[in-house]
Amino acid sequence: MQTVIVKASDGHCDVDGIKQAANILRSGGLVAFPTETVYGLGADGLNGQAVRKIFAAKGRPADNPLILHIFDLKQLEEIAAAVPDCAQRLIDKFWPGPLTLILPRGDRVPDAVTAGLDTVGVRMPDNDIALAFLAACKVPVAAPSANVSGRPSPTSALDVMDDLGGRVDCIIDGGKCSVGIESTVLDVTRPTPVVLRPGAATVEDIRSVVGEVAIDPCADGIDDCATSTPARSPGVKYRHYAPIAPLVLFEGDPKARLVELSRRIEKLVAEGKTVGVAVVSESLPYLPSGNGERLVVRDMGSALDPSRIAATLFSVLRAMDRDKVDIILVEGIHDTGVGFAVMNRLRRAAGGAVVRCS
Ligand code: AMP
Ligand code: MG
């Protein structure tokens, strides 16, 4: 299959290109498009047959439901059976933005979107190109992240091309994603809202709007939710966000963390391994200098700015793959605010390979 590329970067919306992409989607095709979080792989969210193509292109397990993307609140009427009061307050505060709400499912939503659940995830992205595209599509657009299942999410059109080139009909190139990690997923169908997946809409910010908020045990990425049944958000039970090389995460006291990380680097380089290291800016001066090409160090940004770290996280992991390192060592960050979402992604990319330092 030939993948059409529509250029919409530099803040410009190529109106004809967006229309062309929307026509492809409306006739049952797959279109990858930029959002503020990560690139999405979109299909007509009311067309079950089109939605099933997403699962095939990504290799996504069929029991992992998709999020519907909308550009206008009126669209909620056709996809949600009800909008609870607390959901309305969250919509007023966070939309457009990186918060997905799990709502009671409307009759028109196909099973392929919800994986048969009686709820549906909905979000309005905060990105002008995404909103223009969704408006041109006129239908709710079902879209998971536009990566091969299990890989780090794509934050540029090039990332999408690397994973799905030739497997999707169209990619809208809207430059880099500003947030860089997927949306917060919040279930508002329960008496107390539950965070199923942390994201840039933080637990603290959500609490300031609705008061009490619960956090699903799988949301911190520590528990192995593959074995907990049933997982509330099916997506959380799969290993995710993982680069090709094994990833080891170093958590705990910052000084102890750095000592242990340095020791590991020296040992692995001495064994002849090519080591990728991702640390916060503050740690850069303290790393061993390594052995030329054997050590690839990447700066994730200041520990004081977790939003910046979120914005670079997946591109750093994908860059390590392009560098063909044998192993990736990553320094953890503080576990609050957006840092909680960053640590969720890193713990799951590590798949249990976590070194706790004290
Ligand atoms: P992705 O779009 O790839 O970022 O994944 C969407 C995430 O939202 C996955 O973790 C899904 O399991 C979750 N999700 C989507 N719809 C629902 C739903 N109805 N109930 C619970 N989780 C959902
Ligand atoms: Mg995903």
Side-chain angles (χ1 to χ4, degrees), residues 41-68:
L41 178 58
D44 178 346
L46 300 180
N47 175 347
Q49 217 181 333
V51 169
R52 278 190 288 276
K53 290 187 195 169
I54 293 177
F55 290 84
K58 279 181 60 95
R60 183 176 175 103
D63 67 348
N64 192 2
L66 306 179
I67 294 167
L68 289 179

PDB file of all heavy atoms in Angstrom, residues 41-68:
ATOM      1  N   LEU A  41      -3.632   6.904  15.234  1.00  0.00           N
ATOM      2  CA  LEU A  41      -3.948   6.191  13.991  1.00  0.00           C
ATOM      3  C   LEU A  41      -5.464   6.106  13.885  1.00  0.00           C
ATOM      4  O   LEU A  41      -6.103   5.337  14.602  1.00  0.00           O
ATOM      5  CB  LEU A  41      -3.329   4.791  14.003  1.00  0.00           C
ATOM      6  CG  LEU A  41      -3.645   3.944  12.763  1.00  0.00           C
ATOM      7  CD1 LEU A  41      -3.170   4.632  11.498  1.00  0.00           C
ATOM      8  CD2 LEU A  41      -3.006   2.567  12.884  1.00  0.00           C
ATOM      9  N   GLY A  42      -6.034   6.950  12.998  1.00  0.00           N
ATOM     10  CA  GLY A  42      -7.481   7.154  12.999  1.00  0.00           C
ATOM     11  C   GLY A  42      -8.229   6.330  11.962  1.00  0.00           C
ATOM     12  O   GLY A  42      -7.726   6.049  10.869  1.00  0.00           O
ATOM     13  N   ALA A  43      -9.462   5.953  12.347  1.00  0.00           N
ATOM     14  CA  ALA A  43     -10.438   5.358  11.423  1.00  0.00           C
ATOM     15  C   ALA A  43     -11.804   5.915  11.802  1.00  0.00           C
ATOM     16  O   ALA A  43     -11.982   6.413  12.926  1.00  0.00           O
ATOM     17  CB  ALA A  43     -10.440   3.837  11.543  1.00  0.00           C
ATOM     18  N   ASP A  44     -12.753   5.825  10.869  1.00  0.00           N
ATOM     19  CA  ASP A  44     -14.129   6.259  11.146  1.00  0.00           C
ATOM     20  C   ASP A  44     -14.660   5.479  12.354  1.00  0.00           C
ATOM     21  O   ASP A  44     -14.846   4.256  12.274  1.00  0.00           O
ATOM     22  CB  ASP A  44     -14.986   5.991   9.889  1.00  0.00           C
ATOM     23  CG  ASP A  44     -16.447   6.351  10.080  1.00  0.00           C
ATOM     24  OD1 ASP A  44     -16.882   6.562  11.230  1.00  0.00           O
ATOM     25  OD2 ASP A  44     -17.158   6.411   9.054  1.00  0.00           O
ATOM     26  N   GLY A  45     -14.906   6.187  13.446  1.00  0.00           N
ATOM     27  CA  GLY A  45     -15.267   5.553  14.715  1.00  0.00           C
ATOM     28  C   GLY A  45     -16.665   4.962  14.744  1.00  0.00           C
ATOM     29  O   GLY A  45     -17.035   4.301  15.719  1.00  0.00           O
ATOM     30  N   LEU A  46     -17.461   5.187  13.688  1.00  0.00           N
ATOM     31  CA  LEU A  46     -18.801   4.582  13.638  1.00  0.00           C
ATOM     32  C   LEU A  46     -18.842   3.426  12.640  1.00  0.00           C
ATOM     33  O   LEU A  46     -19.902   2.856  12.386  1.00  0.00           O
ATOM     34  CB  LEU A  46     -19.853   5.647  13.291  1.00  0.00           C
ATOM     35  CG  LEU A  46     -19.950   6.827  14.282  1.00  0.00           C
ATOM     36  CD1 LEU A  46     -21.026   7.811  13.850  1.00  0.00           C
ATOM     37  CD2 LEU A  46     -20.223   6.335  15.701  1.00  0.00           C
ATOM     38  N   ASN A  47     -17.698   3.124  12.054  1.00  0.00           N
ATOM     39  CA  ASN A  47     -17.606   2.067  11.036  1.00  0.00           C
ATOM     40  C   ASN A  47     -16.718   0.927  11.572  1.00  0.00           C
ATOM     41  O   ASN A  47     -15.494   1.008  11.545  1.00  0.00           O
ATOM     42  CB  ASN A  47     -17.028   2.688   9.751  1.00  0.00           C
ATOM     43  CG  ASN A  47     -16.758   1.670   8.653  1.00  0.00           C
ATOM     44  OD1 ASN A  47     -16.760   0.457   8.886  1.00  0.00           O
ATOM     45  ND2 ASN A  47     -16.499   2.162   7.452  1.00  0.00           N
ATOM     46  N   GLY A  48     -17.381  -0.132  12.070  1.00  0.00           N
ATOM     47  CA  GLY A  48     -16.657  -1.230  12.711  1.00  0.00           C
ATOM     48  C   GLY A  48     -15.600  -1.871  11.817  1.00  0.00           C
ATOM     49  O   GLY A  48     -14.513  -2.207  12.265  1.00  0.00           O
ATOM     50  N   GLN A  49     -15.935  -1.971  10.525  1.00  0.00           N
ATOM     51  CA  GLN A  49     -14.992  -2.602   9.594  1.00  0.00           C
ATOM     52  C   GLN A  49     -13.715  -1.756   9.453  1.00  0.00           C
ATOM     53  O   GLN A  49     -12.607  -2.295   9.448  1.00  0.00           O
ATOM     54  CB  GLN A  49     -15.666  -2.704   8.231  1.00  0.00           C
ATOM     55  CG  GLN A  49     -15.319  -3.953   7.491  1.00  0.00           C
ATOM     56  CD  GLN A  49     -16.017  -3.969   6.130  1.00  0.00           C
ATOM     57  OE1 GLN A  49     -17.083  -3.348   5.943  1.00  0.00           O
ATOM     58  NE2 GLN A  49     -15.427  -4.667   5.194  1.00  0.00           N
ATOM     59  N   ALA A  50     -13.887  -0.447   9.368  1.00  0.00           N
ATOM     60  CA  ALA A  50     -12.723   0.455   9.273  1.00  0.00           C
ATOM     61  C   ALA A  50     -11.909   0.382  10.561  1.00  0.00           C
ATOM     62  O   ALA A  50     -10.674   0.326  10.530  1.00  0.00           O
ATOM     63  CB  ALA A  50     -13.195   1.893   9.018  1.00  0.00           C
ATOM     64  N   VAL A  51     -12.596   0.352  11.704  1.00  0.00           N
ATOM     65  CA  VAL A  51     -11.904   0.324  12.999  1.00  0.00           C
ATOM     66  C   VAL A  51     -11.062  -0.948  13.134  1.00  0.00           C
ATOM     67  O   VAL A  51      -9.940  -0.916  13.658  1.00  0.00           O
ATOM     68  CB  VAL A  51     -12.928   0.443  14.158  1.00  0.00           C
ATOM     69  CG1 VAL A  51     -12.268   0.143  15.501  1.00  0.00           C
ATOM     70  CG2 VAL A  51     -13.566   1.829  14.162  1.00  0.00           C
ATOM     71  N   ARG A  52     -11.575  -2.063  12.613  1.00  0.00           N
ATOM     72  CA  ARG A  52     -10.821  -3.323  12.733  1.00  0.00           C
ATOM     73  C   ARG A  52      -9.488  -3.263  11.992  1.00  0.00           C
ATOM     74  O   ARG A  52      -8.532  -3.944  12.353  1.00  0.00           O
ATOM     75  CB  ARG A  52     -11.682  -4.508  12.274  1.00  0.00           C
ATOM     76  CG  ARG A  52     -12.633  -4.979  13.394  1.00  0.00           C
ATOM     77  CD  ARG A  52     -13.302  -6.290  13.042  1.00  0.00           C
ATOM     78  NE  ARG A  52     -14.303  -6.111  12.005  1.00  0.00           N
ATOM     79  CZ  ARG A  52     -15.553  -5.721  12.223  1.00  0.00           C
ATOM     80  NH1 ARG A  52     -15.967  -5.490  13.457  1.00  0.00           N
ATOM     81  NH2 ARG A  52     -16.403  -5.561  11.245  1.00  0.00           N
ATOM     82  N   LYS A  53      -9.418  -2.408  10.953  1.00  0.00           N
ATOM     83  CA  LYS A  53      -8.142  -2.271  10.224  1.00  0.00           C
ATOM     84  C   LYS A  53      -7.048  -1.699  11.121  1.00  0.00           C
ATOM     85  O   LYS A  53      -5.862  -1.956  10.911  1.00  0.00           O
ATOM     86  CB  LYS A  53      -8.321  -1.322   9.024  1.00  0.00           C
ATOM     87  CG  LYS A  53      -9.155  -1.874   7.899  1.00  0.00           C
ATOM     88  CD  LYS A  53      -9.089  -0.877   6.742  1.00  0.00           C
ATOM     89  CE  LYS A  53     -10.157  -1.132   5.708  1.00  0.00           C
ATOM     90  NZ  LYS A  53     -10.248  -0.009   4.753  1.00  0.00           N
ATOM     91  N   ILE A  54      -7.441  -0.870  12.103  1.00  0.00           N
ATOM     92  CA  ILE A  54      -6.448  -0.293  13.033  1.00  0.00           C
ATOM     93  C   ILE A  54      -5.729  -1.424  13.770  1.00  0.00           C
ATOM     94  O   ILE A  54      -4.505  -1.423  13.907  1.00  0.00           O
ATOM     95  CB  ILE A  54      -7.133   0.636  14.076  1.00  0.00           C
ATOM     96  CG1 ILE A  54      -7.704   1.890  13.414  1.00  0.00           C
ATOM     97  CG2 ILE A  54      -6.152   1.010  15.180  1.00  0.00           C
ATOM     98  CD1 ILE A  54      -8.452   2.815  14.383  1.00  0.00           C
ATOM     99  N   PHE A  55      -6.523  -2.395  14.262  1.00  0.00           N
ATOM    100  CA  PHE A  55      -5.951  -3.496  15.045  1.00  0.00           C
ATOM    101  C   PHE A  55      -4.978  -4.311  14.187  1.00  0.00           C
ATOM    102  O   PHE A  55      -3.915  -4.718  14.656  1.00  0.00           O
ATOM    103  CB  PHE A  55      -7.072  -4.381  15.601  1.00  0.00           C
ATOM    104  CG  PHE A  55      -7.889  -3.709  16.675  1.00  0.00           C
ATOM    105  CD1 PHE A  55      -8.946  -2.872  16.353  1.00  0.00           C
ATOM    106  CD2 PHE A  55      -7.572  -3.895  18.012  1.00  0.00           C
ATOM    107  CE1 PHE A  55      -9.683  -2.245  17.347  1.00  0.00           C
ATOM    108  CE2 PHE A  55      -8.301  -3.273  19.011  1.00  0.00           C
ATOM    109  CZ  PHE A  55      -9.365  -2.442  18.673  1.00  0.00           C
ATOM    110  N   ALA A  56      -5.364  -4.499  12.910  1.00  0.00           N
ATOM    111  CA  ALA A  56      -4.503  -5.280  12.018  1.00  0.00           C
ATOM    112  C   ALA A  56      -3.205  -4.513  11.742  1.00  0.00           C
ATOM    113  O   ALA A  56      -2.111  -5.086  11.805  1.00  0.00           O
ATOM    114  CB  ALA A  56      -5.244  -5.575  10.714  1.00  0.00           C
ATOM    115  N   ALA A  57      -3.300  -3.207  11.456  1.00  0.00           N
ATOM    116  CA  ALA A  57      -2.101  -2.429  11.099  1.00  0.00           C
ATOM    117  C   ALA A  57      -1.115  -2.360  12.259  1.00  0.00           C
ATOM    118  O   ALA A  57       0.094  -2.410  12.073  1.00  0.00           O
ATOM    119  CB  ALA A  57      -2.503  -1.019  10.660  1.00  0.00           C
ATOM    120  N   LYS A  58      -1.632  -2.238  13.486  1.00  0.00           N
ATOM    121  CA  LYS A  58      -0.767  -2.080  14.664  1.00  0.00           C
ATOM    122  C   LYS A  58      -0.342  -3.405  15.282  1.00  0.00           C
ATOM    123  O   LYS A  58       0.568  -3.448  16.109  1.00  0.00           O
ATOM    124  CB  LYS A  58      -1.539  -1.329  15.770  1.00  0.00           C
ATOM    125  CG  LYS A  58      -1.587   0.160  15.634  1.00  0.00           C
ATOM    126  CD  LYS A  58      -2.370   0.767  16.805  1.00  0.00           C
ATOM    127  CE  LYS A  58      -1.797   0.475  18.164  1.00  0.00           C
ATOM    128  NZ  LYS A  58      -0.927   1.477  18.720  1.00  0.00           N
ATOM    129  N   GLY A  59      -1.083  -4.483  14.953  1.00  0.00           N
ATOM    130  CA  GLY A  59      -0.879  -5.743  15.677  1.00  0.00           C
ATOM    131  C   GLY A  59      -1.391  -5.583  17.105  1.00  0.00           C
ATOM    132  O   GLY A  59      -0.806  -6.101  18.053  1.00  0.00           O
ATOM    133  N   ARG A  60      -2.510  -4.845  17.250  1.00  0.00           N
ATOM    134  CA  ARG A  60      -3.044  -4.555  18.589  1.00  0.00           C
ATOM    135  C   ARG A  60      -4.009  -5.660  19.013  1.00  0.00           C
ATOM    136  O   ARG A  60      -4.861  -6.079  18.233  1.00  0.00           O
ATOM    137  CB  ARG A  60      -3.780  -3.217  18.552  1.00  0.00           C
ATOM    138  CG  ARG A  60      -4.347  -2.720  19.893  1.00  0.00           C
ATOM    139  CD  ARG A  60      -4.959  -1.345  19.670  1.00  0.00           C
ATOM    140  NE  ARG A  60      -5.645  -0.780  20.804  1.00  0.00           N
ATOM    141  CZ  ARG A  60      -5.137   0.189  21.594  1.00  0.00           C
ATOM    142  NH1 ARG A  60      -3.908   0.626  21.390  1.00  0.00           N
ATOM    143  NH2 ARG A  60      -5.855   0.705  22.567  1.00  0.00           N
ATOM    144  N   PRO A  61      -3.899  -6.149  20.272  1.00  0.00           N
ATOM    145  CA  PRO A  61      -4.835  -7.168  20.739  1.00  0.00           C
ATOM    146  C   PRO A  61      -6.271  -6.638  20.667  1.00  0.00           C
ATOM    147  O   PRO A  61      -6.529  -5.478  21.010  1.00  0.00           O
ATOM    148  CB  PRO A  61      -4.426  -7.394  22.202  1.00  0.00           C
ATOM    149  CG  PRO A  61      -3.044  -6.847  22.314  1.00  0.00           C
ATOM    150  CD  PRO A  61      -2.923  -5.759  21.306  1.00  0.00           C
ATOM    151  N   ALA A  62      -7.206  -7.486  20.225  1.00  0.00           N
ATOM    152  CA  ALA A  62      -8.584  -7.045  19.964  1.00  0.00           C
ATOM    153  C   ALA A  62      -9.322  -6.666  21.242  1.00  0.00           C
ATOM    154  O   ALA A  62     -10.357  -6.001  21.190  1.00  0.00           O
ATOM    155  CB  ALA A  62      -9.340  -8.140  19.225  1.00  0.00           C
ATOM    156  N   ASP A  63      -8.798  -7.068  22.422  1.00  0.00           N
ATOM    157  CA  ASP A  63      -9.529  -6.743  23.665  1.00  0.00           C
ATOM    158  C   ASP A  63      -9.072  -5.408  24.260  1.00  0.00           C
ATOM    159  O   ASP A  63      -9.412  -5.074  25.378  1.00  0.00           O
ATOM    160  CB  ASP A  63      -9.361  -7.861  24.692  1.00  0.00           C
ATOM    161  CG  ASP A  63      -7.936  -7.985  25.206  1.00  0.00           C
ATOM    162  OD1 ASP A  63      -7.023  -7.367  24.618  1.00  0.00           O
ATOM    163  OD2 ASP A  63      -7.727  -8.702  26.203  1.00  0.00           O
ATOM    164  N   ASN A  64      -8.290  -4.636  23.499  1.00  0.00           N
ATOM    165  CA  ASN A  64      -7.822  -3.337  24.000  1.00  0.00           C
ATOM    166  C   ASN A  64      -8.600  -2.212  23.301  1.00  0.00           C
ATOM    167  O   ASN A  64      -8.361  -1.941  22.129  1.00  0.00           O
ATOM    168  CB  ASN A  64      -6.317  -3.209  23.736  1.00  0.00           C
ATOM    169  CG  ASN A  64      -5.709  -2.031  24.482  1.00  0.00           C
ATOM    170  OD1 ASN A  64      -6.408  -1.333  25.222  1.00  0.00           O
ATOM    171  ND2 ASN A  64      -4.426  -1.811  24.274  1.00  0.00           N
ATOM    172  N   PRO A  65      -9.545  -1.573  23.996  1.00  0.00           N
ATOM    173  CA  PRO A  65     -10.446  -0.616  23.334  1.00  0.00           C
ATOM    174  C   PRO A  65      -9.747   0.665  22.879  1.00  0.00           C
ATOM    175  O   PRO A  65      -8.645   0.973  23.323  1.00  0.00           O
ATOM    176  CB  PRO A  65     -11.469  -0.303  24.418  1.00  0.00           C
ATOM    177  CG  PRO A  65     -10.796  -0.609  25.707  1.00  0.00           C
ATOM    178  CD  PRO A  65      -9.821  -1.703  25.430  1.00  0.00           C
ATOM    179  N   LEU A  66     -10.426   1.391  21.985  1.00  0.00           N
ATOM    180  CA  LEU A  66      -9.860   2.605  21.386  1.00  0.00           C
ATOM    181  C   LEU A  66     -10.566   3.850  21.927  1.00  0.00           C
ATOM    182  O   LEU A  66     -11.691   3.781  22.405  1.00  0.00           O
ATOM    183  CB  LEU A  66     -10.046   2.567  19.871  1.00  0.00           C
ATOM    184  CG  LEU A  66      -9.521   1.325  19.152  1.00  0.00           C
ATOM    185  CD1 LEU A  66      -9.815   1.435  17.658  1.00  0.00           C
ATOM    186  CD2 LEU A  66      -8.028   1.171  19.390  1.00  0.00           C
ATOM    187  N   ILE A  67      -9.893   4.971  21.811  1.00  0.00           N
ATOM    188  CA  ILE A  67     -10.459   6.254  22.239  1.00  0.00           C
ATOM    189  C   ILE A  67     -11.089   6.939  21.022  1.00  0.00           C
ATOM    190  O   ILE A  67     -10.491   6.961  19.938  1.00  0.00           O
ATOM    191  CB  ILE A  67      -9.332   7.135  22.829  1.00  0.00           C
ATOM    192  CG1 ILE A  67      -8.794   6.508  24.124  1.00  0.00           C
ATOM    193  CG2 ILE A  67      -9.833   8.560  23.075  1.00  0.00           C
ATOM    194  CD1 ILE A  67      -7.488   7.118  24.618  1.00  0.00           C
ATOM    195  N   LEU A  68     -12.306   7.492  21.205  1.00  0.00           N
ATOM    196  CA  LEU A  68     -12.922   8.282  20.140  1.00  0.00           C
ATOM    197  C   LEU A  68     -12.509   9.742  20.295  1.00  0.00           C
ATOM    198  O   LEU A  68     -12.553  10.298  21.400  1.00  0.00           O
ATOM    199  CB  LEU A  68     -14.446   8.172  20.192  1.00  0.00           C
ATOM    200  CG  LEU A  68     -15.037   6.822  19.780  1.00  0.00           C
ATOM    201  CD1 LEU A  68     -16.572   6.853  19.896  1.00  0.00           C
ATOM    202  CD2 LEU A  68     -14.630   6.458  18.349  1.00  0.00           C
TER     203      LEU A  68
END
